[in-house]
Amino acid sequence: MEIILNTGGTAFQGACVKGGRKFTDEYTQEAAYCDINPEDFVALGKPWLVKITNEYGDSVVLQAKKTDRQQKGEIFIPRGPWANIVVTTYTESTGSPAYKNRKVEIEEGSGPVLGPVTLMKKYYSKRTNRTGRTPAEGGA
Amino acid sequence: MSSEAQEGQTSNKITCTDVTCPVCGLTCDDIEVEVDDVSVVTRNACIMGDAKFKELRSSHRITAPLINGKEAPWSDAIDKAAEIFVNAKRPFFFIGSETATEAMSVGIEIAEMLGGLVDGNATICHGPTVMAIQDVGQVGCTLGETRNRADLDIYWGANPEDSHPRHLSRHSVFQRGFFTGQGRFGRQIMVVDPRRSTTAEHADLHLQLKPGTDFEVLNALMTILNGFEPHESFTEVTGISREDIYKAADMIKDARFGVIWVGLGIASTRGKHYNASMAMRLTQLGNKYGKFVILANRGHCNVAGFNEVLAWQCGFPYAVDFSTGEPRYQPGEYSTVDVLRRGEADALFCMCADLGAHLPKRAVERMCEIPVVSIETAEGPQAFISDVVLPGVLDGMECEGTFYRMDNVPCYARSFIDPPFDFTKSNEDTLIQLRDAIKRKLAARGKTTETVEGAAETGSKATTLSEEEYVQRLDTLLSQPQS
Amino acid sequence: MERLTLTPRDVEYLVLEASVITPDAVCGKTLEEIAELPVLEGNTKWPLGRFFTITGKVADAAEDQGIIIDGDVPRVKYIGSKMTAGAVLCKGDVDMYCGAWMKGGRIRVKGNADAFAAIQMEGGDILFEGNVGDYCGASYRGDWRGMKGGNIVINGNAGVTLGEYMMGGKITVKGNVGINAGIHMGKGIGAKDPLPTIIIHGDSPGRVGAFMTRGNIYVLGTIEVMMPGFSPDGTEELEIDGVKTTFQILNGDHGEKGRGKLFVRT
Ligand code: SF4
């Protein structure tokens, strides 16, 4: 179902990052979840995991958390590499990417919530062939 | 602010008072730290500050330079980094915020020397708010004034309970200042946030708007203050009742000293800097009734400092391009995400910021394609995608430096301990070494550039050329840069 | 009119700043001289001929000079910027600042244009047959004096912040626009100056005419979110591009005590 994504910092996620614990399981605990309003949570079928997909087709699997802090029709993911898989690069030509208020697809997910190291390996391995692309195609 | 290091009973134990915290924009300067060989104990610091101080004795600190993930000698790493930037046509320098202004200044100097681009953390944080200051102007004040005078605190798209944990207790809601001796009971709190955040629980009025409608709500408030009625679609659009919006307008009118704290809820949503512009216009209108100011809750300790340094070195706050030799400013073109998204940069320097974790996927993918050099203190996404990692020094702990607090007040932070390595004394030192290595390489290349120039000159003197000669000359010209 | 054709060569580059692709820069020069005009790739200066094959004829004056770019150049900035006369036709996409600071002449882009197209334009005509990016016809960053004159027609869609700080001239969008169309419109112009005009045939997600103080904006599609600072003031029948339509008139932006007019089709 279509839903509005907001991302942002939390104190615990902040502590993890500032404390240099970015490649630990604690980071996964503090940043790889998704806050969902109770009504939406039921509508999704009370999932353990959810899969978020953005308009480019990139997707990430996160733990689902039910919370009444969230308004209906919105989800919140703490700042971090997980959220940024689905944050889009469109900046309205201001330099600031769409960290907040962007429409995404949410559905019940399966498969593991990746740890930070696995996530980096899966999505961002250094390309060996760096000249393989013409810069003109850069944007997409 | 006096900091004194005393030797305790155990030989290696250091106790230090009035330490400046180098983590969030509040730059608290009342931290007490006790360090011995294995552990760190802090007093007064919040959970985030404490975590950073614990870095002094952590197991995951990067203490040796890495090239392609393997440990390498310091001189090799500096040399490799210099080589990367000298070869780049459009090197990009990202100056992160967890370092002192002195180091930033050298980083900017390198970018200028190479004709590259330079940008700072503001670009993915409060950059839009900075743009809004240029757009309409800011009525500001220091944190001391808000603490001693403010009787209305409006948190707009901000959640300081999470982002600046000591905000409420030190500078706003609960603090008992000179004119605000009643603490919480003497202040009105308004929170504007689509989430029922932890800050919202303290609020007298929580405007739980629909996400992305900050602009409309601000405009409605201004319309009411100007004596007009908001358009009939207002409630349907923003999800806020007429009653609440009039109540909010009354709170603004009644305040003797109001503060609007804007957070990323304003800067990162749709409309970006125009949301902040509108908030600043509202502040200006609010001054008809009482004193009204607006302050940005800047996230990192020295993110404001980068804007200050760049502005005094070349006149613009962030997103600057030096490729023509003169500084040019254009967020949306020279800003980090856009440069990476468009595939413009061909080498990246990232200093004291975890771009790997905090940029959107499509931008990080570009970083995987180009050489990346980083200064990092701990392993993490940024170190993972870097070709060269230079170990970072913890500013404000292992070396001294100046930090700009979120209200643009410079705070001098002293050091109380030495870095765990001896090849560099501070991030500034690292950058100076890198700058000198780049200068040496450029000088060595100076000759080659001259010969190219010479060739071009002799070429242009010959005006009448046969077609064959012309094609030939063009071919040689085209294979070399002009200068 | 003499025609000069630039055909993109198969050369890789990061991004080019080619403010020399204007009739003013090429007129009166030989083909060889044109091939040596400098373009910037980051910090490196290259001759134009490295990236384009240059053929055709050169005129003596800019008015008689036409430039045809025969292909896609989505990473070439400043095409036709600051031009005063003549014509530029691009058969594909162009990058940022196409027609920026333009004073006269004509530009026609068959593909899409990126952001900052035609910023601070003062005169001339531009036709974008595809879509344009953000800040089309806006002011340069930090300036409060936007487009002063000229005519922009966009057959496709426009991005956000169309015609920011617009002071004169006319923009017509046949497709849809992003948010903030006509934001800050009319700032800095007096009551007797000719009013700037924006005509939007498609839809807008909102914030049309925010901060607006003077000027006219016509929306023939729908506005999803109305600015709260506008108040209705009757209806009127007007002829736009030869078609008669009834509009609801709204005054605003009251947040700025503005006297702008927003016409929305009823
Ligand atoms: S509130 Fe900010 S500056 Fe103060 S201790 Fe916490 S992290 Fe450090």
Side-chain angles (χ1 to χ4, degrees):
Chain A
M1 95 181 153
E2 197 169 75
I3 208 152
I4 289 175
L5 165 73
N6 287 319
T7 72
T10 74
F12 300 103
Q13 164 267 336
C16 246
V17 172
K18 306 295 176 192
R21 301 191 289 270
K22 286 178 280 198
F23 271 178
T24 62
D25 288 345
E26 192 191 337
Y27 198 22
T28 323
Q29 289 299 323
E30 292 304 343
Y33 67 80
C34 170
D35 275 350
I36 307 171
N37 175 280
E39 283 180 47
D40 294 328
F41 188 74
V42 172
L44 282 166
K46 299 191 188 169
W48 288 102
L49 300 174
V50 285
K51 182 175 164 197
I52 321 281
T53 313
N54 70 4
E55 62 200 65
Y56 301 159
D58 297 330
S59 64
V60 63
V61 176
L62 301 165
Q63 283 184 46
K65 261 195 193 176
K66 183 177 94 171
T67 167
D68 53 8
R69 288 185 188 282
Q70 216 49 49
Q71 280 192 68
K72 192 173 179 303
E74 288 171 44
I75 53 169
F76 174 84
I77 310 177
R79 197 180 282 162
W82 292 271
N84 283 322
I85 302 276
V86 285
V87 170
T88 56
T89 42
Y90 178 56
T91 68
E92 296 180 6
S93 293
T94 60
S96 165
Y99 286 125
K100 294 181 200 288
N101 183 27
R102 199 88 189 154
K103 282 202 180 96
V104 290
E105 273 293 318
I106 184 169
E107 60 194 312
E108 186 165 1
S110 61
V113 175
L114 301 180
V117 184
T118 350
L119 177 118
M120 291 306 292
K121 281 192 180 144
K122 179 174 172 198
Y123 290 100
Y124 307 120
S125 283
K126 269 290 202 197
R127 310 283 146 79
T128 40
N129 176 16
R130 285 187 189 146
T131 49
R133 188 179 77 154
T134 58
E137 298 165 1
Chain B
M1 196 180 79
S2 78
S3 114
E4 223 167 85
Q6 327 150 338
E7 296 289 313
Q9 298 100 315
T10 353
S11 57
N12 287 323
K13 188 164 176 176
I14 301 170
T15 313
C16 205
T17 56
D18 294 341
V19 175
T20 309
C21 171
V23 177
C24 84
L26 288 183
T27 322
C28 300
D29 49 12
D30 59 347
I31 316 288
E32 290 171 24
V33 190
E34 250 177 56
V35 202
D36 60 25
D37 282 343
V38 283
S39 66
V40 185
V41 178
T42 60
R43 244 167 259 117
N44 292 345
C46 71
I47 172 173
M48 277 154 54
D50 180 65
K52 182 92 184 183
F53 282 105
K54 292 240 157 68
E55 276 281 89
L56 285 171
R57 292 285 176 265
S58 79
S59 55
H60 42 247
R61 182 78 188 271
I62 296 178
T63 51
L66 305 172
I67 298 181
N68 297 332
K70 292 190 196 66
E71 289 199 4
W74 174 256
S75 55
D76 288 9
I78 288 282
D79 189 72
K80 172 109 198 260
E83 189 68 33
I84 287 173
F85 295 119
V86 169
N87 287 333
K89 292 203 196 79
R90 209 156 162 71
F92 190 92
F93 289 78
F94 188 89
I95 315 282
S97 49
E98 280 168 44
T99 189
T101 47
E102 288 82 358
M104 293 175 169
S105 169
V106 184
I108 297 164
E109 195 189 327
I110 301 179
E112 181 164 9
M113 192 167 80
L114 288 170
L117 298 132
V118 63
D119 201 0
N121 256 17
T123 184
I124 49 171
C125 175
H126 266 296
T129 317
V130 174
M131 275 156 76
I133 297 177
Q134 296 177 309
D135 200 31
V136 293
Q138 178 192 17
V139 190
C141 73
T142 62
L143 294 180
E145 275 180 88
T146 67
R147 163 212 294 240
N148 288 318
R149 290 175 185 272
D151 61 352
L152 170 64
D153 286 295
I154 304 177
Y155 292 97
W156 204 297
N159 181 17
E161 283 276 84
D162 270 320
S163 60
H164 303 72
R166 299 183 69 202
H167 193 296
L168 270 56
S169 57
R170 283 196 88 205
H171 298 294
S172 52
V173 181
F174 302 109
Q175 179 61 249
R176 292 170 193 266
F178 192 78
F179 295 108
T180 51
Q182 290 168 298
R184 171 68 182 90
F185 305 108
R187 301 185 203 252
Q188 295 269 325
I189 313 296
M190 191 199 308
V191 173
V192 188
D193 199 323
R195 292 169 65 213
R196 182 142 183 85
S197 64
T198 32
T199 311
E201 280 163 16
H202 301 290
D204 296 303
L205 178 65
H206 178 202
L207 299 179
Q208 199 165 14
L209 76 183
K210 288 190 189 163
T213 55
D214 304 85
F215 194 76
E216 281 79 11
V217 177
L218 284 162
N219 187 245
L221 278 175
M222 284 175 65
T223 307
I224 294 170
L225 291 185
N226 274 337
F228 295 92
E229 274 277 305
H231 191 263
E232 60 195 11
S233 64
F234 172 73
T235 302
E236 185 199 327
V237 162
T238 61
I240 292 175
S241 67
R242 259 169 203 262
E243 202 183 15
D244 277 353
I245 195 76
Y246 275 96
K247 196 171 159 200
D250 285 342
M251 277 167 85
I252 291 173
K253 283 185 195 162
D254 292 344
R256 278 170 299 181
F257 191 114
V259 193
I260 304 182
W261 304 93
V262 290
L264 285 183
I266 268 194
S268 292
T269 40
R270 204 164 63 137
K272 317 275 176 187
H273 61 300
Y274 283 121
N275 298 331
S277 289
M278 195 62 106
M280 285 173 191
R281 289 290 295 136
L282 176 67
T283 315
Q284 288 162 10
L285 262 186
N287 274 300
K288 276 189 186 166
Y289 302 94
K291 175 75 183 158
F292 237 82
V293 298
I294 183 164
L295 285 173
N297 275 348
R298 311 293 300 257
H300 297 282
C301 72
N302 205 13
V303 61
F306 174 75
N307 299 143
E308 299 281 334
V309 179
L310 192 58
W312 87 53
Q313 276 185 232
C314 71
F316 299 112
Y318 71 108
V320 165
D321 172 32
F322 289 108
S323 60
T324 53
E326 69 198 38
R328 290 183 298 173
Y329 162 71
Q330 187 67 278
E333 185 185 9
Y334 307 133
S335 43
T336 317
V337 178
D338 296 275
V339 166
L340 291 173
R341 171 181 64 90
R342 291 164 46 85
E344 286 194 18
D346 60 350
L348 181 91
F349 180 75
C350 172
M351 167 172 153
C352 311
D354 199 339
L355 284 185
H358 295 299
L359 289 190
K361 177 168 177 266
R362 297 284 160 127
V364 183
E365 278 174 353
R366 174 67 183 161
M367 286 163 63
C368 299
E369 292 168 358
I370 58 177
V372 178
V373 180
S374 318
I375 296 186
E376 270 289 307
T377 54
E379 58 193 8
Q382 182 60 33
F384 181 88
I385 52 171
S386 299
D387 297 57
V388 180
V389 179
L390 304 170
V393 180
L394 300 170
D395 291 78
M397 297 183 220
E398 295 169 349
C399 67
E400 51 189 16
T402 312
F403 293 123
Y404 277 77
R405 206 165 64 178
M406 63 190 220
D407 53 351
N408 294 322
V409 170
C411 301
Y412 196 68
R414 296 182 180 193
S415 68
F416 53 87
I417 204 163
D418 287 329
F421 32 70
D422 50 12
F423 38 76
T424 178
K425 285 190 223 53
S426 61
N427 293 331
E428 186 191 2
D429 187 20
T430 310
L431 284 174
I432 289 175
Q433 293 183 37
L434 179 64
R435 181 192 67 192
D436 293 344
I438 292 176
K439 266 191 187 161
R440 277 196 300 276
K441 279 189 195 286
L442 282 180
R445 270 185 204 202
K447 283 173 203 146
T448 28
T449 349
E450 265 165 36
T451 41
V452 176
E453 260 173 23
E457 258 169 40
T458 38
S460 57
K461 268 173 210 153
T463 39
T464 44
L465 289 174
S466 74
E467 193 152 314
E468 214 172 89
E469 281 172 320
Y470 168 65
V471 170
Q472 227 174 28
R473 212 193 69 211
L474 211 58
D475 276 348
T476 30
L477 258 180
L478 301 186
S479 55
Q480 291 158 339
Q482 278 185 345
S483 64
Chain C
M1 182 170 275
E2 306 290 4
R3 289 178 187 187
L4 185 76
T5 309
L6 307 183
T7 318
R9 289 177 164 209
D10 195 14
V11 185
E12 274 194 17
Y13 52 87
L14 293 165
V15 62
L16 289 187
E17 287 181 21
S19 47
V20 294
I21 307 186
T22 61
D24 303 78
V26 299
C27 65
K29 294 198 169 65
T30 62
L31 288 186
E32 290 89 80
E33 282 169 343
I34 293 170
E36 271 171 38
L37 288 172
V39 290
L40 268 185
E41 180 191 11
N43 56 16
T44 316
K45 228 184 243 173
W46 296 102
L48 182 64
R50 180 183 158 90
F51 306 101
F52 295 95
T53 320
I54 301 160
T55 51
K57 290 218 179 81
V58 190
D60 287 334
E63 298 89 87
D64 305 324
Q65 182 66 59
I67 299 181
I68 298 169
I69 300 171
D70 198 3
D72 262 341
V73 281
R75 283 291 177 272
V76 180
K77 295 177 186 172
Y78 295 102
I79 291 175
S81 68
K82 298 190 180 161
M83 67 187 261
T84 59
V88 176
L89 165 69
C90 184
K91 294 196 176 165
D93 297 352
V94 295
D95 202 3
M96 295 172 168
Y97 301 104
C98 176
W101 299 282
M102 178 172 169
K103 293 211 173 68
R106 283 169 299 139
I107 296 183
R108 181 168 176 175
V109 179
K110 294 217 165 191
N112 303 326
D114 210 316
F116 309 112
I119 56 168
Q120 292 195 320
M121 180 172 170
E122 286 177 29
D125 287 289
I126 304 192
L127 169 60
F128 295 105
E129 294 190 12
N131 303 331
V132 293
D134 307 328
Y135 292 88
C136 177
S139 71
Y140 187 63
R141 187 77 77 193
D143 202 340
W144 54 269
R145 288 155 296 199
M147 177 170 166
K148 291 200 179 117
N151 190 7
I152 303 178
V153 179
I154 301 156
N155 284 354
N157 303 329
V160 304
T161 323
L162 174 87
E164 176 204 33
Y165 286 114
M166 198 168 165
M167 294 171 81
K170 184 175 166 190
I171 303 180
T172 312
V173 187
K174 299 276 168 66
N176 305 327
V177 294
I179 52 169
N180 295 344
I183 193 165
H184 281 296
M185 193 183 198
K187 176 156 181 177
I189 58 172
K192 285 180 190 140
D193 291 328
L195 294 174
T197 309
I198 297 182
I199 301 168
I200 300 162
H201 287 263
D203 305 335
S204 157
R207 304 187 191 178
V208 185
F211 292 111
M212 150 181 202
T213 47
R214 270 179 220 284
N216 297 323
I217 304 179
Y218 303 86
V219 183
L220 286 102
T222 56
I223 299 181
E224 201 180 308
V225 173
M226 196 60 212
M227 282 296 293
F230 280 84
S231 59
D233 182 26
T235 54
E236 198 179 328
E237 199 183 49
L238 292 167
E239 199 179 299
I240 299 282
D241 290 345
V243 185
K244 277 208 170 165
T245 330
T246 323
F247 288 98
Q248 182 188 24
I249 306 174
L250 295 119
N251 293 332
D253 173 350
H254 293 315
E256 287 287 334
K257 294 198 174 161
R259 289 192 216 101
K261 277 195 163 55
L262 178 58
F263 299 80
V264 187
R265 186 159 79 173
T266 47

